Amino acid sequence: MAQAAITIALAGNPNSGKTTIFNNITGTRQKVGNWPGVTVEKKEGRVKKFGYDLKIIDLPGTYSLTPFSIEEIVARDYILEECPDVVIDIIDASNLERSLYLATQMRELGRSKVLFALNMSDVARARGFKIDSEKLSELLDVPVHATVGNKNEGVDALLQKAIDLAASSKKPSTGRKVNYSKDIESAIAELETILTPHFQPDISYDPRWASIKLLENDRIVLERLESALPEDAILPLVSKTKLLRQTLQERYDEDPEIVLTDERYGFIAGIMKEVFTASSRKRIDSSRNIDRVLTNRFVGFPIFLFFIWAMFQLTFTLGAYPMDWIDSGVGGLTSIMDSVLPESLLKDLFVNGILAGVGSVIVFLPNILILFFCIALFEDTGYMSRCAFLMDKIMHLIGLHGKSFIPMLMGFGCNVPAIMAARTLESEKDRLLTILITPFMSCSAKLPVYIVLAGTFFGPRAGSVIFIVYLFGIVTAILTGRLFRTTLLRGADAPFVMELPPYRVPMLKSLLIHMWDRSKMFLKKMGGIILVGSIIIWALSAFPRTTQYSHDYPAAIAHIEAVFSQKAKIADPAEQQALEWDKKDRLLDIQRAMRAEQTANSFMGIIGKAIAPIFAPLGIDWRGGVSLLAGFVAKEIVVSTLGVLHAVDEEGSEALRDALRTSGMTPLAAFAMMIFVLLYIPCIATVATIRKETSSIKWTLFSIGYTTIVAWLMAFIVYNGGRLIGLT
Amino acid sequence: MDHQMVGATSLSKVAEGQRARIIAVGGGGALRRRIMEMGMTRGTELFVEKYAPLKDPLEVIVKGFHVSLRVEEASEITVEIVE
């Protein structure tokens, strides 16, 4: 027999313990994705319990259901349009008054059956709060059930109650809702009379609720009604709404939406009087005491910097070990494949294309796991909002939110996790801006390029030059932030009104689920795009296969073989070894020359030469241009490609430095190239992440275009400006 | 009532450790609504817990929970000091 399916949505304030309850119910059987069209995380889980097939949806945490933030719109639309069988509103018992604001709105929606979970009742008790849950249930006509989410107490019983409620034939209760003052109630009634006759079942609104929203000037509701109602009903509705809003405005000398908010809190105050008692006993607020240290005027910043430093160290230093293991694992696999598979195009594709490409992604996994573990730790303990509290003043200067600091800082390590870390920002604009400027934070993969170029051309001053390059990136990020905030992403950054939740001991299970969800997403989605990208880049550098070489390399190789076998015959045994090495060296030289010519004649080389005029004004030759193109796969590749094109081995070796010096590159041109590498199009993994996190091709292309144009302009200014003032 | 009013001022001018009662919430649109939805409605008492090390934002305790606001946002809230 097929089991009956029930959909249960979890709603509640941020920090109400909603996600903990969700994790307790669903465990690891959860699916994390995005809500359609927006980058708000959507969590869904399916469990079979008590003979039912339960679908549990974790709605975004919100304080209200006004359409100001995407989270609120998403939560509201889900309840309205999908109409889950039951909505469980998780109420933070230690924060009852504010939680009830969302709860009353939930009741007003009038769509699904609502159940209240009075969560963290232990914390409330410890604070000396007494809540009469029976009275609360009676007053709001909603079943109420006490839970302690982080101890998994009462969660099963809560589910059982939700199932009973879903199975009962009772309609969503129409009992006591917020009663507004007389003028407002009569305004609501007037709109309701206009609306009700036109309401078809396909309009997912309750007429009373829709009337209230119209009075509150809710654009989304108005638009929806305009498209759903018959034409002749719209005009009277709109004009009536306008008239009523005007009357109320004059009557209260205040916007109607503010009056309604005020009255809801008044209604809640009435409920509070009946159900809530706080003992006068002085309690110890340990959270407040922790904050006396962690956000202290003097030690707050040093402690914050220490935590960030520790996170950085863990992510990139501790992460380097498993990174090495994976790297050598991939390397080992590559060499096994290399020796086992017969020489063919397919093998080349597999080893140099797919394996190299996928390998370059998978090495980031340890970094990402550790980083997301740390971020989950920051978030679950409540420290993240303190970071924002401390940093907001500085970040606000760039037009950003305090929380943008972490992604930007992580950018110095690797842009992929950094851009994913921007998820912690609630406002879409803040998140987008952070994503757009994070690539200017010079990531660790660019360092080898700087080391080669600065080491070659600036000798003992290399360190200072590299430091200047980093600084250049930070300044570009700041200027970009200010520019975009005043143009493209105009509008005040989101209000900073932010709760500083009490510190909590995190649950390992939650941390691990958090970490794994985000990492899994990285593996799945990145894998595909990077795979395709690597294959394209490989094909560009591997074709055409039939190069007309300028030298007869096979003949040269045969010649050397012949000469040395002659020599070996007459040489005495002591010299044999030296001869063998000599031969190897010469053969390598030829192979390198051959590879250099092959790469130069590949599509990549052809493109590189074709676009050489673009790089010429920056003092970069066609080899530099090709390397920069190849650097799209990963920035380290710039160095190895330079090596290939200059026909030298061992990236970063003295041979490459000599080759660069003799190629006609000047120190100024090297500096311009470093600036270009710093700023231009991020690597393919980062681009894929930007695409994923903005869920917009437009913004991804914008990011690519903007970074590359800025890079070219800056490098141009540096190179030509430098020449003007007589530098070389 | 043993409280004594000392005239209206803006929340951004209230010193650390002082208690104040909200007279009016100014500002526009989303900010104003958000402030009120967080429970900072007229007549609500709040306590200025601290200012961040760089003097912005500030942390207030209202209805038993802690909220941070930027100084420019706090300047939109008119309060009276409660002694």
Side-chain angles (χ1 to χ4, degrees), chain A residues 240-251 256:
Chain A
K240 190 79 192 165
T241 304
K242 208 173 157 198
L243 187 73
L244 287 170
R245 273 180 59 82
Q246 236 163 27
T247 320
L248 289 175
Q249 176 94 37
E250 279 158 24
R251 167 84 179 70

Side-chain angles (χ1 to χ4, degrees), chain A residues 76-146:
Chain A
R76 195 173 88 174
D77 283 353
Y78 181 80
I79 299 173
L80 286 172
E81 262 133 51
E82 306 295 320
C83 195
D85 298 298
V86 177
V87 176
I88 301 180
D89 184 10
I90 317 277
I91 292 176
D92 175 359
S94 60
N95 230 326
L96 186 63
E97 194 168 352
R98 198 199 55 212
S99 304
L100 284 177
Y101 187 79
L102 179 70
T104 52
Q105 290 194 310
M106 215 53 100
R107 285 278 286 99
E108 247 173 16
L109 275 180
R111 286 286 286 169
S112 304
K113 295 171 182 171
V114 181
L115 167 65
F116 289 170
L118 207 53
N119 196 32
M120 296 196 269
S121 28
D122 57 334
V123 180
R125 251 198 312 279
R127 289 204 181 167
F129 298 162
K130 234 193 233 145
I131 297 165
D132 185 344
S133 58
E134 272 172 41
K135 188 93 191 173
L136 181 67
S137 165
E138 186 195 314
L139 285 178
L140 286 170
D141 192 19
V142 167
V144 177
H145 185 78

Side-chain angles (χ1 to χ4, degrees), chain B residues 2-53:
Chain B
D2 53 5
H3 297 320
Q4 214 187 343
M5 279 172 26
V6 192
T9 179
S10 90
L11 177 59
S12 58
K13 297 210 176 73
V14 180
E16 210 165 285
Q18 270 189 316
R19 197 168 284 284
R21 190 183 303 114
I22 298 175
I23 298 175
V25 178
L31 170 67
R32 184 159 186 233
R33 192 94 184 258
R34 172 61 79 239
I35 288 175
M36 299 196 71
E37 282 172 350
M38 295 283 275
M40 288 180 264
T41 48
R42 240 169 299 170
T44 310
E45 264 193 30
L46 40 80
F47 177 80
V48 177
E49 172 78 355
K50 73 168 62 133
Y51 283 79

